Amino acid sequence: MNPVKIGLLGLGTVGGGTATVLKRNAEEISRRVGRDIVVSHVATLDLDRVDELGLNHGIKATQEAADVVNDPDIDIVVELIGGYSPAKELVLQAIENGKHIVTANKALIAMHGNEIFAKAQEKGVMVAFEAAVAGGIPIIKAMREGLSANHIEWLAGIINGTGNFILTEMRDKGRDFADVLAEAQALGYAEADPTFDIEGIDAAHKLSILSSLAYGIPLQFDKTYTEGISNITPEDVEYASELGYRIKHLGIARRTTQGIEQRVHPTMIPERRLIANVDGVMNAVLVQGDAVGPTLYYGAGAGDEPTASAVVADIIDVARALTADPNNRVPHLAFQPDLLADTPILPMSNIQTAFYLRICAEDKPGVLAEMTKILGDRNISIEAIIQKEPNDDKATIIMLTHIVREGDMDDAIETLEALDIVCGKITRIRVESLG
Ligand code: HSE
């Protein structure tokens, strides 16, 4: 049988890893597929990479990505450029040309996936994006196929390796935020714009994809609540630990009777949970299905070959399905495209969670009573309270609350911050038991 011909857009970290894995495991891959898979055309701004990666045997190389997209010999375009544009235009043109797509681009799928999938459906081609979420962990396949019997109750994921690496190093070694970030950049884990990692945008891209797969709703990245880790202080990390918790930057999607919670923020979770012990650049996704119960998926969420593992698996999947009936393929968003639901994504004020509060207050009689009254008046019940040794007549008060409506907590915090006895802003971290 003729080989399947690949056009590769981008030979950076993931592109290089993909070329290397395809070459090293070529014999085994062709035994799995029943056909050879060959990279026949690559686009890269740095043409020296072609030699560096040992791809210089009869391969076409160009600096113009459009040459690959418009090459009639290519069966599958593998987009590993990243970012919104020109990736979107190139992918749409490739689909127009009848080519199947494999991409690791979470930003592209989260922002433009609805349009891209509609176009792919129209043209009868596949768009595979396993590497877009949690690098090498086959979470898309698990959600779309392995868990397809389940009603997904909730999922929670550590889906940004750079953020997890930073929080882990801060906790274990007391390292400086900027220093850890620089190391993640040098190792090729961080995004081109590292604020995407730190401010939760990268995790929000990935969460909106997972949420759509879980609940059969269109991609809605713009409705994802996104809060980063840049305000987490070493004190909060230490107090969380004293209380038996770890702070993780989680993406959470949960189905409620009113709608779907879709949120990314620092979260305190009990340290006894397996996911609380996922450290460094590793990713993990915990999925609670009604039939299967909790399932946990763990592995490398970034890096050249771990991400290439997912890219190449997608290439193999597409190569195997090249001759399959387009109407009987696994749907892009796990549910049939004409049966997606319009379940609303809930505004943050309507979500329910417990809270950790760190409050700086004057150390004098009646202060605690005044503060707890404000919480009590809003039906906010306190689970634990600790007052730290006062310093200059100022005390640090740590409170853990029971589960409350976020809107009530917003109101309580605003009222507390307006008191003369409270100094500065109150730190809040949402607490999830994940039980
Ligand atoms: N910047 C991402 C991370 C890379 O740190 O997880 C993988 O998507």
Side-chain angles (χ1 to χ4, degrees), residues 104 106 131-132 134-135 159-163 188-191 197 202 206 281 283 301-303 307:
K106 55 261 163 152
I159 44 181
N160 181 267
T162 301
Y189 299 140
E191 294 305 298
D197 296 299
D202 177 73
K206 296 166 180 167
V281 78
N283 280 198
T307 311

Side-chain angles (χ1 to χ4, degrees), residues 6-81:
I6 305 294
L8 209 48
L9 306 182
L11 280 182
T13 305
V14 181
T18 299
T20 304
V21 171
L22 278 171
K23 191 169 159 201
R24 189 175 66 228
N25 297 342
E27 194 258 348
E28 197 154 337
I29 289 169
S30 72
R31 279 174 55 218
R32 291 181 193 270
V33 180
R35 290 166 77 172
D36 287 341
I37 291 180
V38 295
V39 178
S40 68
H41 204 161
V42 295
T44 170
L45 291 177
D46 177 7
L47 290 169
D48 291 343
R49 286 285 282 162
V50 179
D51 287 343
E52 271 168 42
L53 292 163
L55 293 173
N56 44 358
H57 301 292
I59 202 168
K60 290 181 269 185
T62 173
Q63 289 181 311
E64 290 298 329
D67 293 348
V68 176
V69 163
N70 295 321
D71 180 342
D73 287 345
I74 296 298
D75 302 299
I76 306 173
V77 169
V78 180
E79 184 276 305
L80 302 173
I81 300 172

Side-chain angles (χ1 to χ4, degrees), residues 311-423:
V311 171
V312 174
D314 271 350
I315 294 173
I316 291 171
D317 251 9
V318 174
R320 280 175 175 150
L322 277 178
T323 50
D325 171 1
N327 295 318
N328 279 322
R329 292 181 186 142
V330 178
H332 290 112
L333 288 180
F335 291 71
Q336 293 300 326
D338 53 340
L339 295 176
L340 294 185
D342 58 4
T343 319
I345 307 283
L346 291 175
M348 273 311 267
S349 56
N350 280 354
I351 74 130
Q352 308 244 12
T353 182
F355 281 89
Y356 156 101
L357 301 178
R358 176 164 54 82
I359 308 171
C360 165
E362 284 181 29
D363 185 33
K364 63 180 193 190
V367 165
L368 264 186
E370 200 173 341
M371 292 197 298
T372 51
K373 179 163 189 324
I374 288 171
L375 295 172
D377 287 347
R378 285 154 187 83
N379 223 12
I380 298 171
S381 169
I382 297 165
E383 184 180 302
I385 188 160
I386 304 172
Q387 179 171 330
K388 296 282 169 190
E389 194 81 358
N391 200 345
D392 289 337
D393 292 335
K394 300 269 188 280
T396 298
I397 295 156
I398 307 296
M399 288 186 198
L400 282 187
T401 74
H402 286 288
I403 292 176
V404 301
R405 207 183 131 264
E406 175 116 357
D408 294 334
M409 183 52 85
D410 291 340
D411 184 36
I413 288 178
E414 199 184 322
T415 311
L416 286 167
E417 284 178 343
L419 297 178
D420 290 342
I421 51 165
V422 169
C423 31

